[in-house]
Amino acid sequence: MQHGAAGLDRELDEVSEHIKALDPTGRRFARVLRDTIDQLLNGEATGRYDWKTLYKTEKTHAGTLVEINLQREFRFADGAAMDYQIAGVDVDCKYSQQFGGWMIPPEAMGHICLLAWADDYKSLWSVGLVRIRDEWLNTGINRDLKLTLKAGHREKIKWLWRDEDLPENVLLHMDAADRAAVFAADSGQRRLNELFRRVQRRRIGRNVVRTVAQQKDYMKRVRGNGGSRSALRAEGILIMGDYASHRAVAGQLGLPLPEEGEFVSARVVTSRLRHGDAPSVSLDGKRWVLAQTDDPVEPAPALPSHTGQG
């Protein structure tokens, strides 16, 4: 085992290279962190969307869930003494919602730790690696003898991703009055209609839909045939899903592209001279642009057909 000062740790570099090869962009890590927070909130059953509303025991469980979900996603082997074996090296996994709050157990001394952080309020996440040294940890004793990394030694962390964008928890960040209006509706379908009406031009994830609908068939509530897509068409609102054909429409209109399980809604109108060279898309034999606030409402065109569901 060859390890010494930061930058001279061959094992740490090998673990780093292995992880980056599995997830070059960090999108898989971001998705696991987003999904784990959503799993804890359990919005479909509880209607919760805010980390602060979790019970203390649920927050404590977050680290274990992140560890499990990362192992499931990346199929890391079990470690001999630590959580994982990555590139033949034992690696412990620690998560904290508070930056720097990673609780390091005594048995991790001398081992590499994968440190994960995600903050739903800042919509940011980071993941890094560090080999634990006694002199880098805060002194102090708690019941299980876990210690934290001294703030002055956080520069020893080899960051794989630092302050990357966490997929947004739209319910947490939307206007409070709009959110109240969404939840005031008396059925899952009406709540979803209100969501897509009030939250436009932003990616809305599957978990937001699940939390608002609070119904098992929540995805069906978005689609045509009586779902939000057909209900809001008369108001000029398109709801694009993650199909290639829908993403193409969103891209041509200059909207964020829906990722897997995401939707983007926007009101559109037929393109007129006054819209100038605004981004436009051809649908139903006409050119359409994003509506301005003073554009009169007109029914939206049909979205391109697609195969599958979503």
Side-chain angles (χ1 to χ4, degrees), residues 4 14 19 40 42 46 75 88 91 111 181 208 292:
E14 287 171 354
I19 291 173
L40 282 160
N42 192 17
T46 66
R75 303 188 177 187
V91 177
H111 287 281
V208 171
Q292 298 168 5

Side-chain angles (χ1 to χ4, degrees), residues 4 11 97 134 163 236 251 310:
E11 286 187 344
Q97 206 259 352
D134 186 44
D163 288 343

Side-chain angles (χ1 to χ4, degrees), residues 169-184:
N169 179 341
V170 168
L171 288 173
L172 185 65
H173 291 279
M174 69 189 285
D175 177 81
D178 285 338
R179 184 171 57 229
V182 167
F183 282 107

Side-chain angles (χ1 to χ4, degrees), residues 47-59:
R48 297 181 305 187
Y49 54 84
D50 188 338
W51 176 273
K52 291 181 183 136
T53 63
L54 293 174
Y55 295 120
K56 187 178 177 182
T57 49
E58 290 176 309
K59 292 177 184 175

Side-chain angles (χ1 to χ4, degrees), residues 119-269:
D119 188 318
D120 224 3
Y121 303 101
K122 295 178 179 176
S123 298
L124 294 173
W125 67 278
S126 299
V127 165
L129 297 166
V130 68
R131 189 179 291 278
I132 302 302
R133 291 188 178 187
D134 186 44
E135 63 269 25
W136 294 353
L137 300 177
N138 287 305
T139 53
I141 298 174
N142 56 22
R143 277 183 311 179
D144 48 9
L145 299 175
K146 289 182 178 176
L147 303 171
T148 56
L149 195 64
K150 290 178 181 174
H153 289 290
R154 288 181 198 155
E155 82 276 1
K156 308 291 198 308
I157 299 169
K158 179 185 177 78
W159 293 110
L160 306 182
W161 297 279
R162 185 80 175 90
D163 288 343
E164 296 286 331
D165 291 335
L166 184 71
E168 186 188 26
N169 179 341
V170 168
L171 288 173
L172 185 65
H173 291 279
M174 69 189 285
D175 177 81
D178 285 338
R179 184 171 57 229
V182 167
F183 282 107
D186 61 1
S187 75
Q189 186 62 68
R190 288 193 183 93
R191 287 192 294 272
L192 277 182
N193 293 352
E194 201 62 33
L195 174 72
F196 287 114
R197 191 178 280 129
R198 289 174 179 266
V199 182
Q200 295 190 29
R201 308 186 186 189
R202 286 161 79 174
R203 289 200 295 263
I204 296 175
R206 181 187 282 118
N207 188 66
V208 171
V209 173
R210 182 190 290 133
T211 303
V212 170
Q214 292 188 41
Q215 292 170 318
K216 292 291 181 191
D217 59 349
Y218 59 92
M219 292 299 269
K220 188 172 122 184
R221 303 285 168 185
V222 179
R223 301 179 186 126
N225 305 317
S228 296
R229 192 170 281 148
S230 54
L232 297 182
R233 193 173 162 189
E235 298 174 30
I237 295 172
L238 291 176
I239 302 175
M240 287 140 283
D242 58 10
Y243 310 110
S245 59
H246 287 199
R247 284 168 54 88
V249 170
Q252 288 175 71
L253 289 170
L255 293 166
L257 303 184
E259 301 288 343
E260 183 184 352
E262 291 182 335
F263 300 93
V264 173
S265 72
R267 187 167 78 88
V268 295
V269 291

